Amino acid sequence: FVGDGINDAAALTQADIGIAVGAGTEVALQSADVVLIQNNLYDVLAMLSLSTATLQRIKANFVWAFGYNVVAIPIASGMVYPLLRFQLPPLAAGISMICSSLTVLACSLSLNFWKNPYQHE
């Protein structure tokens, strides 16, 4: 729900996502989940686009980290030693986990390059 006035405060509170316009009343701004700084409704579309990109990044990070751990933990713990005759030294296992975390961090930071598809002049 998008609102800006006193009569919108209750609806903003009850909505799944309450969006207040920045020039609205103080009650509406305090009741909302999201506050748009400018008085432009295109920012609602931009907010939805950014939230979609963020959710996609979270899912990608989860898949990456889960897949990496499914492969790396058995190797590092020695579970595959009888099959492969290979065990990762503890230092290498620790470094590989740091690299995994840095990869997830770098993926998350790539959201800084998100472009607003609804840019208005």
Side-chain angles (χ1 to χ4, degrees):
F1 182 81
V2 180
D4 66 348
I6 294 174
N7 58 339
D8 298 330
L12 287 169
T13 304
Q14 294 296 316
D16 290 335
I17 300 173
I19 304 169
V21 179
T25 63
E26 188 65 29
V27 175
L29 296 178
Q30 299 234 346
S31 302
D33 299 313
V34 177
V35 176
L36 302 177
I37 302 299
Q38 300 172 349
N39 292 329
N40 194 333
L41 291 179
Y42 281 110
D43 291 340
V44 173
L45 298 174
M47 185 231 18
L48 292 173
S49 176
L50 179 58
S51 65
T52 301
T54 302
L55 189 59
Q56 288 173 347
R57 185 68 54 192
I58 289 169
K59 289 177 182 177
N61 283 342
F62 179 73
V63 168
W64 161 256
F66 183 76
Y68 183 85
N69 287 328
V70 163
V71 171
I73 288 175
I75 293 172
S77 68
M79 288 175 57
V80 295
Y81 182 77
L83 297 172
L84 301 177
R85 296 282 182 221
F86 175 73
Q87 183 177 7
L88 210 55
L91 180 63
I95 290 172
S96 69
M97 290 308 293
I98 291 171
C99 290
S100 171
S101 296
L102 289 176
T103 303
V104 169
L105 177 66
C107 251
S108 297
L109 288 175
S110 70
L111 278 173
N112 287 330
F113 299 108
W114 175 80
K115 298 292 183 203
N116 183 356
Y118 302 100
Q119 189 69 32
H120 52 281
E121 301 288 328

